[in-house]
Amino acid sequence: MVLGGSKQQRFDLIVSFSDDPIGRLQTDGQQKESPMSRIAYILNGPNLNLLGKRQPAIYGHETLADVEADCGRVAQELSLEIKFHQSNAEYQIIDWIHEAREHASGIVINPAAFTHTSVAILDALNTCEFPIIEVHISNVHRREAFRHHSYVSLVASGVIAGFGTQGYQLALHRLARLIDEAKK
Ligand code: CA2
């Protein structure tokens, strides 16, 4: 490709547009880690590793691996790259939030029981400058009163609850829209 200028210098482009449809690569082929990346962290809190294995009447039959696969398919449609994690440890979720604030453009989080207890997760999320979508598989508002309060809702752009595991896919669609709007 020849670029303009008085001396008509010639540049070889290492990356063509078709190699990089969503603009994540720099001309040296390295991945950008700017706030405008399309990396989405999907974080899951305690006991969600048991999804599909216990209490199907509340949480359905899909396993967390099924949810990850569904999210992967939707992410591809939306040109998002996902980092999908689950932990039973509060500190681990906080560490992933810290990682996301450096590398990602958004978080989808089902903090599970930490939703109702964790000021530490709220504080970590408050350091992020991108959209955060809170997801609950069950309709927490039809359940015990202690599930009606969420610390995470104080920082979330939106909350999806009661749509089963489909809620994660809905959250990714919303996150992609918010990332696109932030670019304008
Ligand atoms: O509805 C949700 O997604 C919840 O975040 C799930 C949490 C609960 O504490 C929240 O109030 C609402 C519990 C996650 C436990 O997941 C299990 C999954 C299958 C079997 C047993 C537990």
Side-chain angles (χ1 to χ4, degrees), residues 46-48 50-51 54-55 59 110 112-113 116 136-138 140 147:
N47 299 307
L48 285 165
L50 298 178
L51 205 61
R54 300 275 188 285
Q55 297 184 268
Y59 300 114
N110 182 349
H116 319 297
H136 298 287
I137 298 166
S138 63
V140 282
R147 296 186 203 276

Side-chain angles (χ1 to χ4, degrees), residues 68 92 110 168 178 180:
E68 182 173 6
Q92 177 63 82
N110 182 349
Y168 288 83
L178 292 172
D180 291 342

Side-chain angles (χ1 to χ4, degrees), residues 47-117:
N47 299 307
L48 285 165
N49 52 312
L50 298 178
L51 205 61
K53 297 171 185 166
R54 300 275 188 285
Q55 297 184 268
I58 302 176
Y59 300 114
H61 290 277
E62 270 207 323
T63 65
L64 200 63
D66 296 331
V67 175
E68 182 173 6
D70 291 342
C71 287
R73 278 188 285 275
V74 171
Q76 207 170 9
E77 287 166 21
L78 297 169
S79 299
L80 291 173
E81 182 181 333
I82 60 166
K83 309 276 185 198
F84 192 99
H85 298 296
Q86 185 277 332
S87 180
N88 296 328
E90 191 176 22
Y91 81 89
Q92 177 63 82
I93 293 169
I94 292 165
D95 283 352
W96 284 324
I97 294 167
H98 292 174
E99 201 179 281
R101 68 185 288 282
E102 298 291 332
H103 305 291
S105 286
I107 292 180
V108 170
I109 184 165
N110 182 349
F114 292 149
T115 308
H116 319 297
T117 63

Side-chain angles (χ1 to χ4, degrees), residues 35-36 100-101 104-106 124-132 182:
M36 283 299 109
R101 68 185 288 282
S105 286
L125 290 171
N126 263 322
T127 69
C128 298
E129 293 176 352
F130 48 52
I132 294 157

Side-chain angles (χ1 to χ4, degrees), residues 146-176:
F146 67 83
R147 296 186 203 276
H148 299 176
H149 176 263
S150 165
Y151 284 102
V152 171
S153 294
L154 292 169
V155 70
S157 305
V159 183
I160 293 171
F163 293 108
T165 51
Q166 188 192 2
Y168 288 83
Q169 299 173 44
L170 300 173
L172 282 176
H173 276 278
R174 181 64 186 155
L175 191 65

